[in-house]
């Protein structure tokens, strides 16, 4: 049976038992417990970030996490609510909900369904490569801006202040900070105290589960000190029940409205998952399948849509914790979901007194690690176009907030435009003989033409409708480079492809050169280019001066015989 037809190809979880030898099962069980301790407070916090009730975050950590683990290709990925997806959900849906909590939940379910179907379709059709159109500089520009926006949105909650709705999120936060309203002292104490404790534990005791320890201590302190009675904002009641089966509002007009946001959620959330999978697979030396992971993540989102959840993704921090805890397979995610289920059914009363400023501190501590402005500088140093894309995406995301999906669309369009612009200006250089025996850029190295009768031109690009004009200009310049030029020799090793426009342009140049007593010769042509010339009927006309393999071979032949006549 071929690899494509194996049951493990359809359901990767069938391969889990092979990894449980030599303590692998024990590692999965312990990793699942460890990740669950972090998942529970994060699920509550990221549901709050999306503007949804806290139990929605716990629901999204149940069946969606299990489904993604069963069908995904990387066993260490931990799927559930994440900060970036939570921000995208809130930014996309809060303006449409109009303050109606039930409508907001329905929109979240529909967004989960649409984004999941997009990922599922890309995975089934093996089209995961399309996500590579989102370049890393654009993604990092967006992630940095989004992380900064998340931090800004949590500052009011950290101080116990309600952030007023504003058309421009950043300006709304600025107005809040400059307003002379009174802060809630207890909220400030809990928020800053929790943030300080989390940062201290991360620095001094990084191996300890700092988030659950600090959250548990803060909840106990809130109950003992009467934080809620003093006007503090707490989580309150969380239903002790399984998530109800849900049906997203399947209305065409709503689906069309949410489709751009769903595309962004699908793209950004999978890039986060792919980053984790690439890092982990590089360390474990276990392969991962991009398209299979799209199927797993897509099915996880679809499961969330029908179990009262929210759009989910693989968390970079929880996946890293899963790997560090020696998880081998997706069983660790099943264990995590089981522990979340136990908490949801029996222990939610213990979460009543959890202060919301504490959740804001959890979000700030988790998201602050995403801010890395050095990557923008590195992108600028590596390539100015990449630097421009990264910086403009960063600025656009901040400018469009809370509609941050417009920021990544701006970066995507800019990246594609710059890619087309670069491809329209390929490198066309004339070559001379270098002292090391190779033919290199004549002008850069101060070389001379190998002979008054021949000019060598190297074309470093496919010869297509995008580059045909540049190819024509380069050959015409070469034909005028010396007074006695009889042949322009094209060093064609860089031409990987030729299309109909390239063939038409080349045929026209051959006729033009022949009419003025010159010819075009080739060396280093690749098989796929020769095949295209044969299908077009051009090859028989030029074969005798186009089959040379190297510049030296071509020069020896061309300088000892007159150019071949080219019939019209």
């Amino acid at each position: 049976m071929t690899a494509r037809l194996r049951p493990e190809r359809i359901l990767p979880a069938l391969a889990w038992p092979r990894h449980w030898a030599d303590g692998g099962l024990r590692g999965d069980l312990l990793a699942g417990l460890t990740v669950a301790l972090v998942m529970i407070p994060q699920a509550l916090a990221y549901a709050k970030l999306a503007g949804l009730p806290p139990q929605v975050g716990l629901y999204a950590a149940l069946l969606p996490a299990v489904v993604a683990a069963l069908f995904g290709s990387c066993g260490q990925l931990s799927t559930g609510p994440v900060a970036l997806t939570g921000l995208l959900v809130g930014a996309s849906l809060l303006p449409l909900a109009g303050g109606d909590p039930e409508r907001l939940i329905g929109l979240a379910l529909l967004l989960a369904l649409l984004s999941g179907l997009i990922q599922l379709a890309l995975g089934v059709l093996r089209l995961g490569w399309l996500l590579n159109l989102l370049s890393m500089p654009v993604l990092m520009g967006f992630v940095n801006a989004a992380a900064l926006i998340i931090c800004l949105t949590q500052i009011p909650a950290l101080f116990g202040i309600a952030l007023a709705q504003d058309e421009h999120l950043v300006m709304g936060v600025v107005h809040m900070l400059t307003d002379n309203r009174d802060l809630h002292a207890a909220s400030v104490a809990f928020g800053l105290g929790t943030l300080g404790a989390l940062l201290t534990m991360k620095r001094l005791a990084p191996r300890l589960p700092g988030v659950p320890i600090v959250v548990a201590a803060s909840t106990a302190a809130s109950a003992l000190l009467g934080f809620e009675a003093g006007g503090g904002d707490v989580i309150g009641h969380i239903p002790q029940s399984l998530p109800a089966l849900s049906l997203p509002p399947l209305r065409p007009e709503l689906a069309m409205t949410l489709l751009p946001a769903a595309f962004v959620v699908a793209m950004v959330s999978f890039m986060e998952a792919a980053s984790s999978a690439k890092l982990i697979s590089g360390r474990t030396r276990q392969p991962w399948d991009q398209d299979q992971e799209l199927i797993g993540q897509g099915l996880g989102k679809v499961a969330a849509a029908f179990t009262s959840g929210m759009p989910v993704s693989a968390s970079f921090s929880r996946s890293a914790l899963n790997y560090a805890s020696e998880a081998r397979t997706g069983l660790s995610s099943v264990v995590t979901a089981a522990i979340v289920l136990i908490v949801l059914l029996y222990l939610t009363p213990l979460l009543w007194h959890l202060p919301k400023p504490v959740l804001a501190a959890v979000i700030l501590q988790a998201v602050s690690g995403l801010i890395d402005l050095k990557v923008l500088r590195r992108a600028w140093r590596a390539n100015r176009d990449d630097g421009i894309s990264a910086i403009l995406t960063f600025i656009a995301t901040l400018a469009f907030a809370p509609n941050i999906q417009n920021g990544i669309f701006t970066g995507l369009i800019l990246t594609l435009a710059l890619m087309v612009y670069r491809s329209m200006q390929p490198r066309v250089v004339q070559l001379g003989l270098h002292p090391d025996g190779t033919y290199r850029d004549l002008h850069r190295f101060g070389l001379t033409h190998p002979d008054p009768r021949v000019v060598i031109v190297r074309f470093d690009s496919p010869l297509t409708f995008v580059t045909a004009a540049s190819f024509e200009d380069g050959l015409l310049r070469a034909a005028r480079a010396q007074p006695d030029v009889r042949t322009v020799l094209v060093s064609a090793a860089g031409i990987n492809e030729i299309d109909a426009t390239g063939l038409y342009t080349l045929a026209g140049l051959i006729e033009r050169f022949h009419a003025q007593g010159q010819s075009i010769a080739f060396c280093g042509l690749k098989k796929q280019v020769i095949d295209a010339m044969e299908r077009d009927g051009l090859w028989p006309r030029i074969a005798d001066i186009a089959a040379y393999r190297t510049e030296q071979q071509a020069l020896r032949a061309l300088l000892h015989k007159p150019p071949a006549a080219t019939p019209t």
Side-chain angles (χ1 to χ4, degrees):
M1 184 177 293
T2 64
R4 186 175 295 275
L5 297 178
R6 285 185 306 172
E8 294 174 4
R9 180 75 175 179
I10 300 173
L11 186 63
L14 295 176
W16 290 358
R18 292 205 308 264
H19 299 279
W20 289 339
D22 301 327
L25 180 60
R26 180 177 179 273
D28 281 346
L29 297 177
L30 291 178
L33 173 61
T34 303
V35 172
L37 296 176
V38 177
M39 172 76 87
I40 294 167
Q42 284 191 347
L44 298 171
Y46 298 152
K48 170 182 172 296
L49 181 62
L52 296 167
Q55 66 268 21
V56 172
L58 295 176
Y59 296 160
L62 295 174
L63 187 62
V66 174
V67 170
L70 290 173
F71 289 91
S73 65
C74 182
Q76 291 83 3
L77 289 188
S78 174
T79 300
V82 298
L84 201 53
T85 302
L87 176 65
L88 285 168
V89 171
S92 303
L93 303 185
L94 287 173
L96 299 176
D100 184 350
E102 292 299 323
R103 178 176 172 81
L104 179 62
I105 293 175
L107 291 173
L109 297 177
L110 182 57
L111 184 60
L113 178 62
L114 292 175
S115 57
L117 290 177
I118 290 173
Q119 288 186 332
L120 184 60
L122 290 174
V124 170
L125 297 175
R126 317 300 291 177
L127 295 176
W129 58 268
L130 286 173
L131 296 177
N132 295 331
L133 294 175
L134 182 64
S135 68
M136 188 54 64
V138 167
L139 179 64
M140 295 312 299
F142 173 77
V143 168
N144 273 277
L148 183 58
I149 290 170
I150 292 174
C151 292
L152 290 174
T153 59
Q154 296 311 300
I155 292 176
L158 195 72
F159 295 157
I161 300 173
L163 178 61
Q165 294 293 326
D166 198 300
E167 291 185 1
H168 192 281
L169 186 145
V170 176
M171 293 304 299
V173 174
V174 172
H175 292 158
M176 181 274 299
L177 293 175
T178 56
D179 196 357
N180 292 323
R181 72 182 74 190
D182 294 331
L183 301 179
H184 187 253
S187 296
V188 174
F190 269 96
L192 294 181
T194 300
L195 184 60
L198 288 172
L199 295 176
T200 300
M201 289 196 67
K202 184 178 180 180
R203 182 180 180 86
L204 300 181
R207 293 188 177 183
L208 292 179
V211 172
I213 291 174
V214 173
V215 168
S218 300
T219 305
S222 170
L224 292 174
L225 298 175
F227 175 73
E228 182 184 12
D233 198 3
V234 297
I235 286 292
H237 174 66
I238 297 177
Q240 289 182 267
S241 63
L242 291 171
L245 293 178
S246 55
L247 183 65
L250 302 175
R251 298 204 298 273
E253 69 279 5
L254 271 182
M256 292 303 296
T257 301
L258 291 182
L259 198 57
F263 176 75
V264 173
V265 169
M267 183 166 50
V268 172
S269 65
F270 183 70
M271 293 299 286
E272 187 171 6
S275 299
S276 301
K278 287 178 182 177
L279 179 63
I280 292 172
S281 65
R283 293 181 178 179
T284 62
R285 298 185 179 181
Q286 295 176 355
W288 76 286
D289 187 325
Q290 174 175 263
D291 295 306
Q292 186 62 46
E293 203 59 59
L294 272 169
I295 292 173
Q297 292 293 311
L299 288 174
K301 288 180 174 63
V302 172
F306 293 101
T307 56
S308 303
M310 59 182 286
V312 295
S313 179
S315 165
F316 190 86
S317 60
R318 292 197 303 269
S319 299
L321 179 60
N322 219 9
Y323 168 74
S325 302
E326 300 183 355
R328 300 282 183 87
T329 70
L331 178 64
S332 60
S333 294
V334 177
V335 173
T336 297
I339 295 172
V340 173
L341 179 61
I342 293 171
V343 170
L344 185 62
L345 292 178
Y346 302 108
L347 302 179
T348 54
L350 299 179
L351 299 173
W352 179 292
H353 292 283
L354 174 58
K356 290 187 176 180
V358 171
L359 293 181
V362 170
I363 295 173
L364 283 169
Q365 187 268 339
V367 172
S368 60
L370 296 176
I371 300 178
D372 183 10
L373 298 180
K374 293 180 181 178
V375 299
L376 305 183
R377 187 168 65 248
R378 288 199 298 269
W380 178 267
R381 289 176 177 174
N383 184 287
R384 290 298 171 88
D385 288 349
D386 287 340
I388 291 172
S389 299
I391 293 170
L392 288 184
T393 301
F394 179 83
I395 294 173
T397 303
L398 291 178
F400 283 117
N403 300 311
I404 61 172
Q405 62 272 16
N406 294 336
I408 202 165
F409 279 131
T410 300
L412 180 60
I413 293 171
L414 180 61
T415 299
L416 295 178
L418 288 173
M419 182 181 69
V420 173
Y421 175 76
R422 286 195 299 267
S423 65
M424 293 179 67
Q425 297 188 3
R427 183 172 171 80
V428 187
V429 296
Q430 297 176 23
L431 305 182
L433 183 61
H434 194 272
D436 64 6
T438 60
Y439 286 87
R440 308 182 72 174
D441 188 335
L442 182 145
H443 298 292
R444 179 178 179 182
F445 294 98
L447 307 176
T448 59
H449 291 284
D451 189 273
R453 295 164 292 174
V454 179
V455 173
I456 307 177
V457 174
R458 188 179 69 216
F459 188 71
D460 296 331
S461 173
L463 182 49
T464 64
F465 71 98
V466 177
T467 61
S470 297
F471 179 78
E472 183 176 17
D473 291 342
L475 263 63
L476 293 177
R477 285 196 304 271
R480 302 188 298 267
Q482 299 186 101
D484 301 321
V485 175
R486 290 167 52 189
T487 303
V488 173
L489 173 62
V490 179
S491 179
I495 303 177
N496 298 316
E497 178 188 0
I498 187 168
D499 67 359
T501 303
L503 290 167
Y504 179 83
T505 302
L506 182 56
L509 284 170
I510 291 172
E511 299 292 347
R512 180 171 178 174
F513 273 58
H514 178 68
Q516 60 195 30
Q518 296 174 313
S519 64
I520 301 175
F522 291 87
C523 68
L525 278 172
K526 295 185 175 178
K527 181 181 182 301
Q528 63 268 30
V529 178
I530 295 175
D531 290 344
M533 290 179 174
E534 288 177 340
R535 292 192 299 268
D536 183 67
L538 178 63
W539 180 250
R541 300 166 56 187
I542 63 172
D544 58 340
I545 56 172
Y548 308 119
R549 300 316 306 155
T550 65
E551 293 89 354
Q552 195 64 43
Q553 180 190 16
L555 286 174
R556 281 198 302 266
L558 293 171
L559 295 178
H560 289 86
K561 68 178 182 179
T566 305
T568 60

